[in-house]
Amino acid sequence: MWKTGTFEAEKFDPASTSTVRWVSYRLLEAGIPPTEKEVAIFERLMFHIQLSGGVYRTTFANRFRDLDPWINAALIKNFHQSTHLQAQDWAASDCLTSSQWAGSLFQLFPNATLTASDLTLFLIEFTNSDGESYFVEPDGNPLQYFRKPFVLNLKDEEPWMFPLNRMLQTRAKRRWEEIRGGMSWPRQWVQSEATEMATPGGVFRKILVVHPKARQLASSNPAFRIAQHSVFEPSPALCHVVRTMNILNKAYFPCDGLRKGAESVYESLLDGGVWIAGRTVRDSPPQHEVTLFRKENGWFRKLDQVGPGSELEPLILG
Ligand SMILES: C[S@@+](CC[C@H](N)C(=O)[O-])C[C@H]1O[C@@H](n2cnc3c(N)ncnc32)[C@H](O)[C@@H]1O
């Protein structure tokens, strides 16, 4: 028994309820402007992608429709409307929710800028001369394998009921280790603006995992930017606001990691700056647990909360 994959957009119905496990990441590609179907496919896939560290890319349109107005109301109490407010949305996944926040934030603070950032803004597709494609993270960690007609997840085991898939998966994982071990990883290309690179072993291609609508906003409005950044590093420029939603979670990182993330936020904020920390506890309708902290007198003071507040509170305030 085996299960073949989906690798042609025409054959994939993003509205269907069937699993997307066997859908190729190649279908993440969308034009600018994107078609409605490209957007629907992108959003459907993005919801389910899990990176090698265990963190999901999960986000979706209007996830923060109730939270954004609450945040904006708090910000207007802390900053004058004419402030050249510099806001940053960290671990923003495909940056769609950041672009939606930008809409209301820029109305309230006409001089504001908003930078949406994430550790991973693209995946890499490596295709060798045998027609095998490996979809990997920018550091080379494998996520998916594709060779017609199979699409195989390289993170989780293929189900027992598909023994051929399991056999091919084991082979693909081993092959990727051999390929990866036999090359020096093209770090320079990864960090460059170039999108494609041909080598004797195969072709590398970047597949953007930034939502087409967020890319469109970034190209039409210079106040909205997209950048690569890790929550464990301070941002390159000091700012007034940092939002970290659904990243500095106990489920993802141990206390040391959470503290390091909090220190990065602290070092990134101007004095009096505001940190919005929280997680989404239910998706439909979205329900969040959030705390607003203010940087003052050498650490953070709590300003306000949504629901019971962020699970980070004991760590930050203790
Ligand atoms: C669950 S998503 C959250 C997306 C968005 N903030 C939201 O709440 O809808 C978590 C994101 O964190 C990103 N991520 C994982 N480790 C990271 C790190 N060290 N620095 C920045 N982003 C990271 C992942 O790429 C993923 O897009």
Side-chain angles (χ1 to χ4, degrees):
M1 285 282 283
W2 65 87
K3 172 104 182 129
T4 56
T6 305
F7 40 86
E8 289 159 318
E10 310 79 60
K11 301 215 171 119
F12 179 50
D13 174 9
S16 84
T17 53
S18 62
T19 173
V20 297
R21 181 186 173 102
W22 293 283
V23 179
S24 169
Y25 290 160
R26 206 177 263 180
L27 299 198
L28 286 166
E29 286 185 301
I32 293 283
T35 64
E36 260 180 50
K37 182 160 184 188
E38 283 172 339
V39 169
I41 293 178
F42 183 95
E43 292 182 356
R44 184 76 205 287
L45 290 181
M46 191 54 50
F47 196 91
H48 297 277
I49 295 179
Q50 189 187 22
L51 302 175
S52 59
V55 178
Y56 278 93
R57 293 285 296 183
T58 307
T59 192
F60 52 89
N62 300 320
R63 188 177 209 182
F64 301 132
R65 63 177 179 271
D66 296 334
L67 187 64
D68 286 348
W70 180 84
I71 291 173
N72 291 346
L75 293 181
I76 202 72
K77 283 190 210 152
N78 277 274
F79 302 103
H80 194 270
Q81 213 167 4
S82 63
T83 309
H84 287 249
L85 192 84
Q86 291 162 52
Q88 301 191 2
D89 197 10
W90 289 9
S93 182
D94 67 8
C95 307
L96 179 63
T97 51
S98 321
S99 68
Q100 293 178 327
W101 182 25
S104 55
L105 189 72
F106 293 170
Q107 271 182 13
L108 205 55
F109 295 94
N111 300 317
T113 61
L114 174 60
T115 303
S117 64
D118 197 277
L119 186 64
T120 308
L121 297 178
F122 56 84
L123 302 180
I124 293 172
E125 178 182 3
F126 174 79
T127 307
N128 65 17
S129 52
D130 295 335
E132 294 178 307
S133 287
Y134 296 83
F135 294 87
V136 304
E137 290 178 69
D139 59 4
N141 273 316
L143 297 176
Q144 194 186 69
Y145 168 85
F146 164 53
R147 184 183 193 171
K148 274 184 197 173
F150 290 98
V151 175
L152 305 170
N153 190 309
L154 295 183
K155 262 194 83 298
D156 306 321
E157 301 273 290
E158 288 286 297
W160 281 104
M161 66 208 305
F162 302 128
L164 181 59
N165 291 48
R166 285 178 73 88
M167 205 185 78
L168 293 173
Q169 183 193 43
T170 307
R171 183 189 162 277
K173 281 183 185 168
R174 205 180 47 234
R175 275 288 293 144
W176 177 247
E177 271 176 35
E178 285 165 12
I179 293 171
R180 176 89 168 79
M183 66 163 90
S184 66
W185 191 244
R187 277 180 220 294
Q188 249 185 329
W189 172 77
V190 171
Q191 283 161 11
S192 75
E193 295 289 311
T195 53
E196 201 168 310
M197 182 178 69
T199 68
V203 177
F204 290 88
R205 226 158 53 84
K206 290 177 186 163
I207 307 237
L208 281 178
V209 283
V210 177
H211 196 288
K213 287 185 182 165
R215 280 159 56 200
Q216 247 178 328
L217 181 63
S219 61
S220 64
N221 185 350
F224 181 69
R225 298 165 196 153
I226 295 172
Q228 196 268 345
H229 169 250
S230 167
V231 296
F232 300 117
E233 305 288 336
S235 92
L238 288 175
C239 61
H240 300 87
V241 182
V242 171
R243 179 164 86 167
T244 57
M245 283 303 294
N246 297 305
I247 179 65
L248 294 174
N249 291 3
K250 284 183 176 172
Y252 288 152
F253 303 107
C255 274
D256 280 359
L258 299 176
R259 180 159 269 277
K260 188 153 189 252
E263 283 167 2
S264 303
V265 175
Y266 183 83
E267 285 169 38
S268 305
L269 283 173
L270 292 155
D271 249 347
V274 169
W275 175 22
I276 303 139
R279 68 190 179 116
T280 303
V281 287
R282 197 179 61 196
D283 276 337
S284 183
Q287 187 185 329
H288 315 286
E289 295 180 349
V290 179
T291 298
L292 240 70
F293 299 99
R294 187 180 148 100
K295 174 175 170 173
E296 55 185 48
N297 301 327
W299 192 233
F300 290 112
R301 179 173 75 84
K302 180 172 165 177
L303 279 184
D304 206 347
Q305 70 185 62
V306 174
S310 161
E311 59 178 1
L312 292 183
E313 276 189 26
L315 185 81
I316 304 305
L317 303 174

